[in-house]
Amino acid sequence: MNILGSILNVFRGACMAVADSVPGVSGGTIAFILGFYDKFINSVHDFLMGSWDERKKAFPFLFFLAIGWVCAFLICSVIISKLFDEHIYEISSMFIGLTLFAIPIVIYEEKACLKGKYLNLLFTVIGAILVPLIVILGSSAGVTEVNLAQITIGLVVFLFVSAIVAICAMVLPGISGSTILLIMGIYVPMISAVSSLAHLDFTYLPALIIFGLGMIAGFFVASKVIKKCLERFRSQTIYLVLGLLVGSVYAIVMGTKSVGAEAMNFTTFSILFFIIGGVVILGLQFVKMRMEKRAGN
């Protein structure tokens, strides 16, 4: 891999981290829009479950992707932990823009597997219903934020399982892993824990290690399942992804309650930040098309 390719993968990882750090669009969606989602899934699968040669081939791509992701996520955690409370409606409006503008891009990129298979719209309906249902069930369950400083057996199990579920959502284009963590009452504590670690406060390090182990386990599950789905049921999977994107808007709107604010409404919705979100997504698509054109030349 040349230097330009390495820098490009660092940039790709950073873009995924920005999306993953805030409830809304998943890093998988960004990977999909930038055109390296299949390579990402295949590389993760090969590195975790492939032969020695497949692992060596996948490692450089994932290594530089991880560098970009970790660096950007640490920066976002420090910034967002401060901004999330003060500008929740602006951030949420921006990610609604990211989500809705991503839908036509996904349709355009996958038109070959979507065209003529309109019975699979049932999967879109399922995806659109699934996300609000998860949010409603999470709210009705009375989930409260956890204390990551006090490690108990129950907390270990909860963190491990939460990480598996979140990483599966994070990898799949559609619902954000951060949205899942928000529903489970662990998003704000985890962002604060990462922010503390960035400031060399190791109070929450044990909790972060447990969560990290759960993420690795989640990658095993997600990469294998998604790889098979994209290979054998690509049309159904993409239609499901579109539904998850639509349903994610509800999760973002209700996610404003995570900081004690009221659910977003037309009064608190920011059209300016909505447009900014759309411009960001369209800009990423433009960058992707330019890269493809340059590669073709």
Side-chain angles (χ1 to χ4, degrees):
M1 182 179 293
N2 55 36
I3 296 177
L4 181 60
S6 300
I7 294 174
L8 175 61
N9 287 329
V10 171
F11 171 75
R12 286 168 167 173
C15 290
M16 291 180 70
V18 173
D20 287 329
S21 62
V22 176
V25 180
S26 71
T29 301
I30 298 300
F32 206 98
I33 293 170
L34 289 180
F36 67 96
Y37 184 75
D38 286 78
K39 183 178 181 181
F40 169 63
I41 289 296
N42 291 331
S43 296
V44 171
H45 179 272
D46 291 345
F47 183 75
L48 295 177
M49 289 168 277
S51 64
W52 177 249
D53 288 337
E54 288 174 331
R55 289 177 178 176
K56 286 195 298 182
K57 185 177 180 181
F59 178 76
F61 172 75
L62 294 177
F63 176 74
F64 288 104
L65 200 71
I67 289 178
W69 193 95
V70 171
C71 293
F73 193 83
L74 287 173
I75 294 172
C76 287
S77 297
V78 173
I79 296 174
I80 291 171
S81 63
K82 297 179 180 179
L83 294 181
F84 202 64
D85 290 343
E86 300 174 6
H87 303 284
I88 180 64
Y89 295 120
E90 289 84 354
I91 292 176
S92 297
S93 298
M94 183 180 69
F95 273 84
I96 290 176
L98 286 169
T99 303
L100 292 182
F101 278 84
I103 293 174
I105 294 176
V106 172
I107 293 173
Y108 173 78
E109 292 292 333
E110 294 293 329
K111 58 181 179 289
C113 74
L114 297 176
K115 187 177 180 180
K117 299 177 182 178
Y118 303 120
L119 288 177
N120 290 335
L121 280 168
L122 174 63
F123 290 91
T124 301
V125 175
I126 292 173
I129 294 174
L130 182 61
V131 180
L133 184 61
I134 294 173
V135 174
I136 292 170
L137 290 176
S139 300
S140 63
V143 178
T144 57
E145 292 181 5
V146 296
N147 184 0
L148 300 182
Q150 298 179 354
I151 301 297
T152 64
I153 295 178
L155 180 61
V156 169
V157 174
F158 179 69
L159 286 176
F160 192 81
V161 173
S162 298
I164 293 175
V165 175
I167 205 65
C168 289
M170 195 176 291
V171 170
L172 181 69
I175 185 171
S176 166
S178 295
T179 299
I180 295 295
L181 295 179
L182 195 63
I183 293 167
M184 301 179 79
I186 199 174
Y187 172 75
V188 174
M190 287 304 301
I191 285 292
S192 298
V194 174
S195 178
S196 297
L197 183 63
H199 288 93
L200 302 181
D201 180 356
F202 301 101
T203 303
Y204 304 105
L205 183 60
L208 291 174
I209 291 175
I210 295 167
F211 191 83
L213 293 174
M215 289 179 66
I216 295 173
F219 267 121
F220 270 100
V221 176
S223 62
K224 191 171 185 66
V225 172
I226 295 173
K227 179 180 171 66
K228 293 296 181 183
C229 287
L230 288 173
E231 289 176 350
R232 300 181 182 180
F233 311 102
R234 189 172 188 91
S235 179
Q236 294 91 327
T237 302
I238 301 304
Y239 272 108
L240 177 64
V241 166
L242 292 173
L244 292 173
L245 285 170
V246 172
S248 291
V249 174
Y250 178 83
I252 298 169
V253 169
M254 299 306 294
T256 58
K257 298 174 69 175
S258 66
V259 295
E262 294 293 328
M264 179 185 288
N265 52 47
F266 287 109
T267 303
T268 53
F269 174 74
S270 173
I271 186 65
L272 173 61
F273 280 85
F274 172 80
I275 294 173
I276 290 174
V279 170
V280 169
I281 281 292
L282 294 176
L284 291 175
Q285 176 67 4
F286 176 77
V287 170
K288 178 206 165 185
M289 294 175 68
R290 292 285 294 178
M291 288 190 299
E292 288 178 345
K293 184 177 181 180
R294 183 172 297 180
N297 295 332

